[in-house]
């Protein structure tokens, strides 16, 4: 029997690259084709662990290019798609929303529409041998909007996206949902909380804190630092994706989150304390913390209820924030010192 071949999009980015090395390691009989157009956020050096793996292929290209996607489906006869590619940084979506509409909405439509044409002959009719082919859409908890002091996002929380980023992801989630309800395509969607860990782009909060601390610059924190996010170590997200891709129920969405709510002040304080301990400077790194003008429309609090994936699929985060942040700091210390 031929090995399964899966199209992974956006695999040169933070989560996709962590996923590819995890998944190939766990599934030596699966071929992965990574389609990524290497925007500023994509970096092939994130894939050093797999670049010589014969089950791994890289293709540089844009998910908005329908002709290319069709060519790839023809050539590789994909058995599944795991769709990470996106514009992902909220701040960039405020200054340049157009790229988010193109990649996150049009790109997702292109991919799922081509998948439907290759796998299905009519609504609710799979072509022979394609019955188990699945489209997995990777999304975010930001589609649910902002929480007050209490409450958690559940899979049935109404969508209320507040930034061009989250609005574009919400739109893509609805496109995927509609392909299940209208055509019977085998889809799953995961909505995850904030990830952290190795290989995240320099622009994001945790790499910025570590980098600025080490270089002696001001460490910028938005507003009063009270915004709360539910932080999940990236490998725990990858394990959740693999579970949902292989065992999730078609048409369902699963929230993934670590039950590790922290406000930005706690994050910066924790990182500075660890750095004070393992790489002491002549004064505490905390003295570099500087409050800067808040992001417009900054959501106050996100927090995930992960009961469904825990109960239905047996997922559980292996790292808590304290263990995950130590691993993360060790990784960035090596990166920034080399
Ligand atoms: P990232 O920005 O690090 O990586 C995105 C990747 O997509 C990059 O390699 C980029 O080159 C590629 N890409 C962008 N536009 C493309 C296009 N038009 N065609 C092909 N490739 C393109 O993002 P990430 O943090 O790894 O996030 C991956 C996915 O997970 C996204 O869909 C994001 O919405 C979702 N997500 C992220 C988080 C998080 O905390 N980072 C949390 C929940 C969900």
């Amino acid at each position: 029997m031929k090995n399964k071949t899966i199209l992974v999009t956006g695999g040169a980015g933070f989560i996709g690259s962590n996923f590819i090395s995890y998944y190939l390691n766990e599934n030596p009989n699966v071929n992965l084709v990574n389609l990524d157009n290497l925007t500023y956020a994509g970096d092939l050096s994130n894939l050093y662990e797999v670049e010589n793996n014969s089950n791994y292929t890289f293709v540089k290209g844009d998910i908005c290019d329908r002709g290319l996607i069709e060519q790839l489906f023809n050539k590789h006869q994909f058995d599944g798609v795991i769709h990470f590619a996106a514009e992902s940084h909220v701040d960039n979506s405020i200054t340049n929303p157009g790229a988010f509409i193109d990649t996150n909405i049009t790109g997702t439509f292109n991919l799922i529409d081509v998948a439907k044409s290759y796998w299905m002959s009519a609504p609710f009719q799979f072509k022979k041998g394609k019955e188990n082919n699945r489209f997995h859409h990777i999304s975010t908890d930001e589609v649910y909007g902002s929480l007050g002091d209490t409450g958690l996002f559940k899979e049935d929380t109404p969508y209320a996206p507040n930034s061009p980023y989250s609005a574009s992801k919400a739109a893509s989630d609805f496109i995927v949902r509609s392909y299940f309800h209208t055509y019977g395509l085998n889809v799953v969607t995961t909505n995850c909380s904030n990830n952290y860990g190795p290989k995240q782009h320099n622009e994001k909060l945790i790499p910025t804190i570590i980098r600025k601390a080490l270089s002696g610059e001001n460490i910028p924190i938005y507003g009063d630092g009270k915004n709360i996010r539910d932080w999940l170590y990236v490998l725990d997200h990858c394990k959740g994706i693999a579970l949902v891709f292989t065992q999730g129920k078609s048409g369902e969405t699963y929230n993934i989150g670590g039950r590790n709510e922290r406000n930005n002040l706690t994050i910066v304080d924790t990182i500075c304390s660890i750095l004070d301990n393992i790489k002491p400077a002549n004064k505490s790194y905390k003295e570099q913390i500087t409050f800067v003008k808040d992001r417009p429309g900054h959501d106050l609090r996100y927090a995930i209820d992960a009961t469904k994936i825990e109960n239905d699929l047996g997922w559980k985060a292996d790292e808590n924030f304290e263990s995950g942040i130590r691993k993360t700091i060790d990784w960035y210390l090596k990166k920034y010192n080399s």
Side-chain angles (χ1 to χ4, degrees):
M1 212 172 80
K2 117 178 191 339
N3 282 352
K4 271 197 185 325
T5 302
I6 298 165
L7 172 64
V8 175
T9 68
F14 166 45
I15 304 171
S17 60
N18 277 285
F19 178 80
I20 287 176
S21 48
Y22 167 73
Y23 202 76
L24 281 177
N25 205 27
E26 296 287 307
N27 300 279
N29 295 325
V30 167
N31 298 317
L32 295 186
V33 176
N34 173 15
L35 171 66
D36 194 303
N37 70 344
L38 300 179
T39 67
Y40 79 93
D43 185 347
L44 285 181
S45 71
N46 285 340
L47 290 151
Y48 63 91
E49 292 114 321
V50 298
E51 61 195 5
N52 296 320
N53 186 323
S54 56
N55 292 352
Y56 168 73
T57 307
F58 174 71
V59 178
K60 182 175 179 337
D62 191 335
I63 58 166
C64 298
D65 180 348
R66 189 176 177 110
L68 171 68
I69 308 292
E70 287 173 346
Q71 242 179 48
L72 292 173
F73 268 80
N74 264 327
K75 178 169 176 195
H76 297 281
Q77 301 288 316
F78 296 122
D79 302 287
V81 175
I82 305 180
H83 173 37
F84 293 90
E87 288 290 339
S88 72
H89 191 38
V90 177
D91 287 347
N92 295 344
S93 84
I94 296 168
T95 50
N96 181 22
F100 288 70
I101 306 302
D102 292 344
T103 288
N104 300 0
I105 304 179
T106 308
T108 301
F109 162 69
N110 248 329
L111 275 174
I112 198 164
D113 196 58
V114 173
K116 174 182 79 72
S117 319
Y118 274 73
W119 297 343
M120 306 191 75
S121 48
F124 300 93
Q125 272 178 32
F126 280 91
K127 293 180 184 169
K128 198 166 171 307
K130 314 275 186 205
E131 297 80 3
N132 296 317
N133 292 6
R134 164 161 281 184
F135 188 98
H136 185 151
H137 179 54
I138 308 298
S139 193
T140 166
D141 63 351
E142 302 197 23
V143 297
Y144 298 119
S146 188
L147 288 166
D149 291 338
T150 57
L152 298 170
F153 296 134
K154 295 176 189 293
E155 286 78 3
D156 59 3
T157 300
Y159 274 31
N162 289 322
S163 70
Y165 165 63
S166 53
S168 66
K169 291 297 290 188
S172 65
D173 292 8
F174 287 154
I175 292 168
V176 173
R177 177 189 158 90
S178 77
Y179 271 63
F180 172 73
H181 286 277
T182 304
Y183 305 109
L185 191 69
N186 176 0
V187 308
V188 281
T189 297
T190 43
N191 294 83
C192 188
S193 59
N194 272 42
N195 285 213
Y196 68 100
K199 304 178 183 175
Q200 190 165 26
H201 193 275
N202 274 342
E203 69 190 355
K204 299 282 170 83
L205 178 69
I206 289 177
T208 299
I209 294 172
I210 302 170
R211 195 178 72 256
K212 298 276 183 185
L214 295 175
S215 67
E217 291 169 81
N218 289 341
I219 304 171
I221 297 295
Y222 278 135
D224 58 8
K226 300 269 174 65
N227 302 72
I228 296 172
R229 299 292 180 261
D230 183 352
W231 292 90
L232 183 68
Y233 190 65
V234 63
L235 192 55
D236 282 323
H237 185 191
C238 295
K239 292 173 182 171
I241 292 167
L243 259 183
V244 171
F245 182 66
T246 50
Q247 291 171 43
K249 195 163 161 243
S250 180
E252 297 282 312
T253 67
Y254 295 85
N255 284 353
I256 311 182
R259 302 180 196 278
N260 277 285
E261 285 184 52
R262 299 285 185 283
N263 71 28
N264 290 348
L265 267 184
T266 312
I267 302 276
V268 70
D269 240 50
T270 307
I271 294 174
C272 289
S273 299
I274 295 172
L275 286 174
D276 282 340
N277 219 347
I278 61 178
K279 204 170 167 38
N282 45 18
K283 56 183 186 324
S284 170
Y285 292 104
K286 290 181 190 169
E287 292 184 29
Q288 290 164 236
I289 299 172
T290 315
F291 294 96
V292 299
K293 190 168 182 295
D294 207 355
R295 165 192 282 168
H298 203 172
D299 288 337
L300 177 66
R301 175 171 167 260
Y302 304 145
I304 284 268
D305 181 347
T307 307
K308 181 175 172 182
I309 189 172
E310 289 169 348
N311 288 353
D312 292 5
L313 304 181
W315 176 87
K316 205 175 132 303
D318 289 327
E319 304 290 345
N320 58 32
F321 188 72
E322 284 60 41
S323 62
I325 197 68
R326 260 318 289 258
K327 292 185 178 177
T328 305
I329 291 176
D330 287 344
W331 191 87
Y332 285 98
L333 276 177
K334 283 199 194 100
K335 172 175 172 176
Y336 295 138
N337 285 333
S338 65

